[in-house]
Amino acid sequence: MSARTLPLVFVNLGGEMLYILDQRLRAPIASEDTSDKGVWSERDRRRVLNDVTATLFGPSFVDELLKPQQLYSHRTLKTVLTRLAHASIMRLNPASMDRLYELTTMAVKHQVLLCPRPKDLLLVSYNHIDAVRDFVRDSPAVLNQVDQAHRRIIEVYSSMSEGELQLLRQTLLVFFQDMHVRVSLFLKSKIQNPGNGRFALPTSGPVPHGTEVPGLIRTFDRRGREVRRSEFPPGGSYSRPAGGGSFGLHGARGTLLGTNTYAANRPEETLASRASAQTGDAPNPLAKEELNLLARLMGSMGAQDGAGAEGAFRISMFSPDDEEQEAGTSKEAEAFEVISIQATQVGCRWSSHLLSITRTKQNALMLKAAFVPQPVPSLFCILHRQRDMLVFCSAQDEHVASELAQIAGQFSGAEEQAENPCGNKGDDLLAMMDDL
Amino acid sequence: MYHKEKSIQIKNSASALYNNLSVLRIAPRRLTYFTVVHANVVNMVSASWDGLNYSHRQLQSKEPNVATSTSLIMQAAFCVLPSRELLVITSQKGIQMYESDGSIMVYWHALDTPETPSEVNYVPAQAVFARGISAVWENYICVGVSSGSILVFDVPSKGSNITLSEVLEEHKESITDIASECSGSQQCIADLVSADDGGNLCVWKSGEEFQLLNKIPGFDMSCSSVKLWKGTVVAGYGTGQIRLYEAVTGILHAEVNAHARWIYSLDIAPFSGLLLSAAEDSLVRVWHLTVSQETNSVEVAHLHNECVTDTQICGARFCDGDGYAFAVTGYDLSEIIRYTQT
């Protein structure tokens, strides 16, 4: 429908993500790799927020977002948000990323749903931008990027009519449809009903700007003069609209939707309970346009490997007990998806096996060799980006691993020998990106 | 005045789209069809009047013989003509017409997308879609387009030889809804009204060449739903107001501060003059209209409210011409809620 959703989607989802990161990084966290299990230093926290913000509001990324696009699937969005989150010294494991995605999408769904009028969607987005500005207030370069991006967004959206903004909002609502993940923070503040996961919609309070308080019927004569007034029971208690909000670069926005609700709350309250209704992701392979968009967005985010890899802190953002419980149940539980891939025989040094890959409930990949003629010390998989191909080989010794990588590059000219019979190519591609 | 009946469960939840419920009453077979749009799928339910039998069907919006193309659907509506009944589905890609039971597609019309420049994955900044569906007079079906055009299709009494007869270019903003009255033999001065995202209303007389009778300007506020009854245009707006205009002259008869949020659906029961309005504020309201064509006056009286808790309503329709029963759909709700007069 609307081709203008992406910038607002990323500002709002990205903003929510930064709120959560900010809050969780203040909490004492057991970090897997570092020796000191303590609180993240103020400096490191600021660094994470700066790095993520700089990527989210980077000019080339914003360029891509502002191009008219259809809004694609949750999978694509989650991939880009994962990369955003990893644009810093922090590494989130897939389970944490899943939770983070659920929390941020439910928060934005709530904000979009409760917008009194479609134009208020901009105020919500600007609330996010305002808060992000505050996070990076000590870094003038990043602050400047945020301001630039904000200006460009204002330019694009201030000329949109209410009808066009409503279409945009309706497009977002289709995207968030059927998501009813219970969020403990929302349940606690009675924003969400525990029974059905629906958001509470009040039938009282101020009406939006431009709307009159319901209850009045006026009748006119042929000359336009009012001849009668009558009232009817509105079925709710409404009041006149509150003060307006600013649609400019600065100023009070006039709404609490989109502000940082996590700041006042303790970290435990950002838990999302296990999703009851999965988002209705149609099981189509990733559409070509979608892959193209993904490639462009990732490309515009700049090189990821440099700063990240060495000093990377791997953290499990949400309660480790939760995950262990899940790990326990998933061993017994049936695998979510089984994909069989025939590995390619490359040269005479590798042995080829028929491997099965099972996706567990945490979206991790469990590899099991079905036929093992000899011990399998390590399994390597190579993701060949251009050919959408996964090649699994077992290698006898370690130094061979580096040669595998070289050979992957030589595949560009070679005949495709691997078969990727069933299963979802897009799924594999993205799952591998998570684990890189 | 009304009480809630047993809801009908549907396969998917309803999407937040204007006028997202269509009802067709098939008296000879004692059945009622309901359609609700969910993203790129139309859920059809056929409900027997005794409440014992329900059958479901899903229709996707796609070009015939093109497996991979589906697009988001904007609206699905039954069109009742004297000779036949069709189900029309409008989407980002085009317009489909089915036999009323959804069994066979009889016509597909692709929307013109603007000339694409060299870039391969060009997407126009302005959204392209079709929205606003109405049958009019003996043999026309009118469908609105995001550009503001209205496509007039000539529908034969049977078969699939449907042709595009005319394109009405009067609106400059996206069409939101189209409505008619006097379908069939009854003659009216004005028999069609169209509304757009700017709140502008156009009143037409149908025929081999449609005639524009009047243009009622809007106030830059979208008119999401419109109805025509006894020469009166009833229009619902994003501000939550309902306005009643005399179609041919544009004189404002009445203005109702009806809802606290955007109105999504209006319906009129033509035999009784009952008006149904539904909005994002979770409320459905029933009104009574009295149109006196001799004194040229219109009166609006409020009769009843129903609140669907925690739901933004997107569709509301009477199930019969007297307004004895009505049905409601809401965003994210996988049921059609029904109410009947006590």
Side-chain angles (χ1 to χ4, degrees):
Chain A
M1 288 158 30
S2 175
R4 289 276 185 214
T5 52
L6 274 190
L8 297 188
V9 167
F10 275 95
V11 162
N12 289 304
L13 282 179
E16 289 295 318
M17 188 167 82
L18 283 163
Y19 292 166
I20 297 174
L21 290 180
D22 174 59
Q23 190 223 36
R24 298 299 294 186
L25 296 177
R26 288 174 194 273
I29 286 173
S31 175
E32 290 169 23
D33 284 2
T34 57
S35 50
D36 60 83
K37 294 174 189 259
V39 186
W40 280 63
S41 72
E42 168 79 10
R43 195 179 56 88
D44 283 337
R45 188 174 54 78
R46 287 235 168 258
R47 190 177 155 191
V48 169
L49 296 177
N50 277 346
D51 287 347
V52 175
T53 305
T55 311
L56 175 61
F57 289 95
S60 43
F61 188 63
V62 173
D63 274 344
E64 282 302 326
L65 292 182
L66 284 172
K67 287 184 187 160
Q69 317 268 7
Q70 296 300 316
L71 180 57
Y72 291 115
S73 63
H74 283 277
R75 195 172 288 284
T76 302
L77 217 54
K78 198 195 258 188
T79 307
V80 183
L81 282 168
T82 307
R83 281 296 171 142
L84 269 175
H86 289 174
S88 65
I89 56 175
M90 178 191 67
R91 286 289 174 276
L92 295 174
N93 59 30
S96 294
M97 198 58 224
D98 284 351
R99 300 285 177 75
L100 188 59
Y101 188 73
E102 278 171 359
L103 272 179
T104 52
T105 43
M106 287 308 287
V108 177
K109 179 176 181 176
H110 176 247
Q111 289 151 15
V112 171
L113 195 63
L114 260 78
C115 267
R117 20 151 226 182
K119 211 169 170 189
D120 293 336
L121 202 51
L122 299 179
L123 294 177
V124 170
S125 311
Y126 299 166
N127 264 335
H128 282 110
I129 300 180
D130 289 343
V132 169
R133 253 199 209 96
D134 188 60
F135 284 149
V136 301
R137 62 181 180 271
D138 295 330
S139 319
V142 186
L143 190 58
N144 189 43
Q145 279 190 332
V146 175
D147 279 343
Q148 292 284 56
H150 193 177
R151 272 189 207 101
R152 293 173 74 187
I153 288 172
I154 290 174
E155 206 184 298
V156 167
Y157 290 95
S158 37
S159 57
M160 283 176 75
S161 67
E162 280 274 23
E164 286 174 294
L165 286 166
Q166 181 67 289
L167 183 72
L168 200 164
R169 181 172 170 273
Q170 291 174 342
T171 312
L172 291 178
L173 288 176
V174 170
F175 186 70
F176 292 128
Q177 200 154 344
D178 301 322
M179 292 187 73
H180 298 294
V181 178
R182 315 297 193 265
V183 176
S184 37
L185 180 61
F186 294 164
L187 295 174
K188 225 171 192 157
S189 26
K190 307 264 190 275
I191 286 172
Q192 191 178 23
N193 294 326
N196 52 21
R198 298 179 73 79
F199 289 119
L201 295 180
T203 52
S204 59
V207 292
H209 264 268
T211 295
E212 298 291 332
V213 173
L216 187 64
I217 303 171
R218 298 162 74 201
T219 325
F220 304 92
D221 69 10
R222 300 192 68 76
R223 298 220 198 110
R225 290 175 305 198
E226 188 183 305
V227 293
R228 190 145 59 115
R229 283 194 163 213
S230 60
E231 293 191 0
F232 66 89
S237 54
Y238 299 105
S239 50
R240 301 213 41 83
S246 158
F247 288 92
L249 206 61
H250 299 284
R253 305 299 175 188
T255 173
L256 287 178
L257 293 172
T259 53
N260 190 352
T261 48
Y262 301 102
N265 290 286
R266 290 170 302 148
E268 298 85 74
E269 292 177 351
T270 55
L271 288 173
S273 46
R274 224 53 204 106
S276 42
Q278 277 302 328
T279 54
D281 243 346
N284 303 328
L286 227 47
K288 198 173 122 213
E289 295 87 10
E290 204 168 341
L291 265 176
N292 282 336
L293 168 66
L294 192 54
R296 289 201 317 271
L297 286 176
M298 305 289 243
S300 64
M301 281 197 279
Q304 289 282 306
D305 32 35
E310 294 108 33
F313 291 94
R314 297 185 171 276
I315 71 168
S316 171
M317 182 154 278
F318 301 96
S319 165
D321 302 321
D322 249 344
E323 288 167 56
E324 268 169 31
Q325 270 174 15
E326 247 103 41
T329 51
S330 73
K331 282 188 186 110
E332 292 89 32
E334 284 195 25
F336 183 64
E337 220 174 277
V338 178
I339 307 160
S340 298
I341 292 186
Q342 178 124 28
T344 302
Q345 183 149 8
V346 181
C348 54
R349 274 194 282 181
W350 327 135
S351 19
S352 56
H353 305 275
L354 184 67
L355 302 170
S356 78
I357 304 166
T358 312
R359 175 159 303 141
T360 64
K361 283 211 165 128
Q362 295 125 298
N363 229 23
L365 295 176
M366 255 168 37
L367 299 153
K368 275 194 269 199
F371 166 64
V372 187
Q374 49 215 295
V376 180
S378 49
L379 280 167
F380 293 91
C381 72
I382 307 159
L383 173 65
H384 194 268
R385 288 176 202 272
Q386 280 89 18
R387 301 289 283 265
D388 274 359
M389 209 158 67
L390 287 172
V391 179
F392 285 85
C393 313
S394 78
Q396 255 78 0
D397 31 45
E398 262 183 29
H399 87 270
V400 145
S402 55
E403 298 202 32
L404 275 173
Q406 278 176 25
I407 288 170
Q410 293 168 18
F411 265 67
S412 50
E415 189 75 57
E416 254 186 72
Q417 291 171 35
E419 282 164 10
N420 225 341
C422 55
N424 191 327
K425 267 198 212 172
D427 271 344
D428 303 332
L429 185 70
L430 290 163
M432 287 320 303
M433 279 174 162
D434 269 345
D435 288 332
L436 282 170
Chain B
M1 188 184 170
Y2 286 89
H3 66 268
K4 200 166 153 193
E5 291 269 1
K6 194 175 106 165
S7 296
I8 303 176
Q9 298 302 318
I10 41 178
K11 300 285 182 199
N12 303 111
S13 57
S15 289
L17 298 163
Y18 305 141
N19 307 301
N20 191 4
L21 174 64
S22 188
V23 178
L24 182 66
R25 197 162 184 268
I26 310 204
R29 292 168 59 202
R30 302 184 64 77
L31 285 178
T32 304
Y33 292 154
F34 298 86
T35 58
V36 182
V37 176
H38 168 96
N40 59 342
V41 160
V42 175
N43 287 298
M44 249 188 95
V45 183
S46 160
S48 62
W49 289 3
D50 57 15
L52 297 176
N53 290 310
Y54 296 98
S55 72
H56 298 261
R57 176 175 247 148
Q58 289 190 318
L59 299 169
Q60 280 204 322
S61 146
K62 57 177 168 188
E63 297 167 73
N65 308 318
V66 183
T68 54
S69 81
T70 68
S71 67
L72 290 175
I73 297 176
M74 301 300 291
Q75 193 177 3
F78 290 107
C79 288
V80 177
L81 292 167
S83 53
R84 69 197 294 192
E85 289 148 354
L86 292 176
L87 172 62
V88 179
I89 298 177
T90 58
S91 68
Q92 294 174 270
K93 291 247 170 83
I95 300 158
Q96 292 163 284
M97 300 193 191
Y98 286 83
E99 294 295 352
S100 60
D101 61 0
S103 55
I104 312 165
M105 179 158 78
V106 295
Y107 184 65
W108 160 262
H109 175 93
L111 285 179
D112 294 329
T113 39
E115 277 304 306
T116 60
S118 52
E119 213 179 302
V120 175
N121 287 319
Y122 173 70
V123 173
Q126 289 299 110
V128 174
F129 55 85
R131 179 175 61 187
I133 303 169
S134 182
V136 69
W137 197 43
E138 281 200 336
N139 58 322
Y140 295 113
I141 288 181
C142 294
V143 179
V145 180
S146 46
S147 59
S149 308
I150 297 172
L151 307 176
V152 181
F153 295 97
D154 191 315
V155 182
S157 54
K158 54 177 162 226
S160 53
N161 188 21
I162 296 169
T163 52
L164 179 62
S165 131
E166 206 182 342
V167 179
L168 308 174
E169 312 265 22
E170 199 58 49
H171 290 273
K172 301 285 172 279
E173 301 188 54
S174 299
I175 304 293
T176 45
D177 195 18
I178 304 180
S180 72
E181 69 165 340
C182 313
S183 173
S185 51
Q186 196 188 348
Q187 284 286 309
C188 293
I189 307 171
D191 56 4
L192 186 75
V193 64
S194 53
D196 70 24
D197 252 344
N200 303 300
L201 303 164
C202 286
V203 179
W204 310 83
K205 172 93 191 88
S206 68
E208 266 189 41
E209 269 186 33
F210 275 53
Q211 219 190 318
L212 177 71
L213 297 180
N214 192 16
K215 225 175 152 166
I216 302 171
F219 299 92
D220 259 342
M221 174 43 68
S222 189
C223 169
S224 41
S225 196
V226 73
K227 284 277 163 297
L228 185 60
W229 184 64
K230 289 195 176 175
T232 306
V233 170
V234 183
Y237 295 86
T239 49
Q241 275 191 332
I242 298 174
R243 285 195 213 114
L244 285 82
Y245 292 98
E246 186 175 81
V248 174
T249 59
I251 291 172
L252 179 68
H253 282 305
E255 183 178 85
V256 185
N257 297 339
H259 288 275
R261 293 283 189 278
W262 204 283
I263 292 178
Y264 262 59
S265 192
L266 291 181
D267 197 22
I268 294 183
F271 306 144
S272 58
L274 288 178
L275 167 69
L276 196 62
S277 67
E280 280 182 348
D281 61 359
S282 308
L283 286 159
V284 184
R285 303 197 198 273
V286 185
W287 318 79
H288 185 240
L289 301 181
T290 323
V291 175
S292 160
Q293 274 162 324
E294 300 84 39
T295 58
N296 265 323
S297 68
V298 171
E299 282 181 20
V300 186
H302 173 260
L303 296 182
H304 185 74
N305 293 329
E306 283 289 343
C307 179
V308 185
T309 316
D310 297 338
T311 303
Q312 295 194 346
I313 303 174
C314 50
R317 290 249 181 252
F318 284 116
C319 297
D320 56 271
D322 289 297
Y324 178 71
F326 65 88
V328 169
T329 56
Y331 170 65
D332 248 357
L333 218 55
S334 301
E335 56 185 301
I336 300 172
I337 308 174
R338 288 188 297 177
Y339 300 86
T340 325
Q341 274 187 22
T342 21

